[in-house]
Amino acid sequence: MAEETIFSKIIRREIPAEILFQDELVTAFRDISAKAPTHILIIPNHLIPTVNDIKASDEKALGRMMSVAAKLAQEEGVAEGGYRLIMNCNEDAGQEVFHIHMHLLGGHALGPMLSQKR
Ligand code: 5GP
């Protein structure tokens, strides 16, 4: 059984976060350490630790994460200019919180997709 993270507490509103959207499947809130003018995290309400743990039964929530990303991009005014959706999986990608989350980043030119550093 996977261990809950701080994101479960945000979903249940036990700790503060700027929640922008919540329904029966997903929750979206501003990242506490924004890396761009718009930096939102979109997460499923049920715990899936990593992308590797996704099952067919999660597809409805994952689809909702995408449509909520598009809606929030419109609301934030970044849809036309452009934005980036990122999901980090495990150590090489730098995943820090083991409750899957989609980063929505935008609000200025984001530069190359990956750093050239190795
Ligand atoms: P990861 O590196 O796992 O893809 O991203 C985790 C993200 O969660 C980071 O961008 C980090 O700033 C954000 N984060 C971690 N703890 C909290 C928190 O308590 N509240 C909010 N709003 N964001 C958090």
Side-chain angles (χ1 to χ4, degrees):
M1 182 88 166
E3 263 187 47
E4 276 193 2
T5 74
I6 198 147
F7 288 179
S8 291
K9 292 189 166 65
I10 289 175
I11 292 163
R12 294 195 297 263
R13 298 176 188 245
E14 291 170 3
I15 62 164
E18 190 181 342
I19 293 179
L20 302 173
F21 179 90
Q22 187 167 47
D23 67 6
E24 79 285 7
L25 291 175
V26 307
T27 300
F29 51 95
R30 290 200 196 280
D31 196 293
I32 203 166
S33 174
K35 305 290 189 299
T38 290
H39 189 173
I40 297 169
L41 300 174
I42 305 162
I43 68 178
N45 290 343
H46 68 287
L47 174 56
I48 307 169
T50 78
V51 170
N52 293 336
D53 301 303
I54 289 171
K55 300 183 180 62
S57 57
D58 299 321
E59 285 172 2
K60 195 170 171 197
L62 293 165
R64 186 70 55 85
M65 285 165 64
M66 295 300 298
S67 54
V68 168
K71 167 187 153 58
L72 291 175
Q74 285 289 347
E75 288 176 8
E76 292 283 308
V78 300
E80 200 162 321
Y83 56 95
R84 190 169 287 158
L85 300 174
I86 298 175
M87 291 181 79
N88 293 320
C89 181
N90 276 340
E91 191 178 344
D92 279 358
Q95 184 176 0
E96 290 173 356
V97 180
F98 286 82
H99 181 137
I100 62 165
H101 46 280
M102 180 182 288
H103 297 257
L104 189 172
L105 295 146
H108 62 200
L110 295 168
M113 189 168 70
L114 294 173
S115 128
Q116 303 303 306
K117 282 184 274 170
R118 290 192 183 197

